[in-house]
Amino acid sequence: MKQKIILDVDTGFDDAVALLLAGHHPALELAAVTVCHGNAPLAVTVENTRRVLAAGGLGHVPVYAGAERALVAPPLKTDPLQHHRFDLPPAARPLERQRAAEFLIDYYLSPAGPETVLVPLAPQTNLALALRLEPRLAERCPRLVTMAGAYLEGNSTPSAEFNILADPEAAHIVFTAGWPLTMVGLEVTAQAYVTPADLARLRALGTPWAALAADIFEPHLRWWQTEMNWPGGQIYDACAVAAVVDPALLTTKPMHVDIELGGAFTRGRTVADAIGWHRQPANVDVGVGLDRERFLAVLLAGLQ
Ligand code: BDR
Ligand code: CA
């Protein structure tokens, strides 16, 4: 039986690849998509989500718009490469009328809820709003696999990863809700770099969704090579989806993780008791290792 999955996204080049992977991998059933502010203002992230789904042969998937702003934090400056609407035709399917938080509550209280893994790939505002409205969400959702955080070094600041820093108060609500939470952070997404040779393998699959994923990722791959001198680029959000398909590609360690809400230099940090010296109860399974070949195998199998 296919694993039901819901993605919360801020599309975003890597969210786009994650959507195509979740929608086409034979082991998954993409039940719905909720959208948050993040890489760009909500109007752009919603439009990009709908266009990617439509162009990627997933026009049947319902899309719910969520929060326009973080709970408290001001909007972050984001990568200008991410600000434009994708050059793809508008979607035919209308946006759902219900807002993301209300949809998540209704869905997870329905019989399908306990069978559906939630995959947050954006600032966690929609989830926090839903949890505050309906705390039973944390009992009904069987598992979250989130691309968020870093237990060593962030990308928005040396302390903080983008999805957490964009709404630390929301992340605090999500990380303390008591549900089974797997963190796919920057230490493991960095191990899943995708090289030009991998991109060529993706294109060679010959499907419209593989071509779309490759077209969207390629300028970012160039950025990773020229600006960062890396052998390949990260498709952060696709790593979380791949870890739902094949949990063995991710090595995890249970840790106590707090979200830093103050701090002159450390706001938004996922403060992890990584070695376990402090003997606090673990609330997160933190990704500490990723098998790149297994990740690529899932990506290629999903987009073929
Ligand atoms: C995360 O932040 C966003 O820019 C990406 O889409 C990803 O979810 C990486 O830090
Ligand atoms: Ca994202």
Side-chain angles (χ1 to χ4, degrees), residues 10 14-15 39 82 121 147 155 161-163 186 236-237:
D10 60 334
D14 56 327
D15 306 75
N39 282 313
Q82 303 266 42
L121 304 174
M147 192 286 122
N155 56 358
E161 182 276 331
F162 175 83
N163 285 339
L186 296 176
Y236 309 96
D237 293 341

Side-chain angles (χ1 to χ4, degrees), residues 275-286:
I275 298 176
W277 278 354
H278 302 283
R279 305 201 188 289
Q280 296 160 290
N283 57 334
V284 183
D285 281 323
V286 178

